[in-house]
Amino acid sequence: ESFVAGSGRWRVKLDNGQSKDIKPENLAKAPVQASGGILHSGCTVLLRGLKAAQLNGQQGSLETFLSATGRWRVKLVNGEIKDLKPENLEILEPEVMDVAESVPGENVSMKVQAAAEEVPSESGPGFY
C-alpha cells in the first residue's frame, strides 16, 4: 500500500484484507499477475470487474506499470488512457516479452516473505 516513514516499514495489504507494517528485509519482489498470466508492457488486455461498468469488456494495451499507485497505464482501443488495478485486467494476447528490453522492476509488486525464509541478497534498507 505505502511506505511508513516513521517506522521504516511498508504497509502491506494481505490477501485476507488486513494491513500489516512489514520491514523491507522481509519483503521480496514478485511478478504482477492477472487472469491469464503475468502482466507486462505491450500485452493486450480485457477490462473487467470495474465499477465504471461502461469500461468492462473493452480492450486495451498495457503501456507501463505505475509503482506509486500499483496500477497499469492502459491505452484503450478508442485511444483513452486509464490507470487500472491488475485484478481488473485479463490477458488476451500475452505477446512475447523481451527481457533485454524490459524495464527493471516494471512488473513487480510486494509480497510478504515468511520470516523463516532466507532474505534475498539484494534486500536491505533501500530495497523496495
Side-chain angles (χ1 to χ4, degrees):
E1 292 182 4
S2 62
F3 184 72
V4 181
S7 65
R9 296 173 184 230
W10 282 95
R11 181 152 295 146
V12 177
K13 188 170 187 176
L14 304 176
D15 290 337
N16 66 6
Q18 289 183 317
S19 291
K20 298 284 183 181
D21 293 351
I22 309 292
K23 293 178 185 177
E25 59 266 23
N26 292 329
L27 297 172
K29 294 180 180 182
V32 175
Q33 297 209 355
S35 177
I38 295 176
L39 297 170
H40 61 85
S41 296
C43 67
T44 302
V45 294
L46 177 72
L47 281 54
R48 60 184 181 85
L50 294 163
K51 291 178 184 175
Q54 72 277 9
L55 294 176
N56 291 324
Q58 290 194 37
Q59 293 183 23
S61 177
L62 296 183
E63 292 192 339
T64 187
F65 183 71
L66 307 169
S67 57
T69 61
R71 296 172 185 247
W72 277 93
R73 177 145 299 150
V74 181
K75 184 173 185 178
L76 303 179
V77 174
N78 67 9
E80 284 185 76
I81 303 292
K82 299 288 182 186
D83 295 344
L84 302 169
K85 295 177 184 176
E87 57 264 26
N88 295 118
L89 304 171
E90 179 178 336
I91 296 175
L92 295 178
E93 297 177 20
E95 293 191 15
V96 176
M97 180 173 49
D98 184 349
V99 177
E101 293 179 10
S102 67
V103 178
E106 179 179 307
N107 304 328
V108 297
S109 66
M110 303 305 272
K111 289 251 183 196
V112 177
Q113 187 176 31
E117 292 181 22
E118 186 175 330
V119 177
S121 61
E122 66 266 23
S123 66
F127 178 69
Y128 55 89

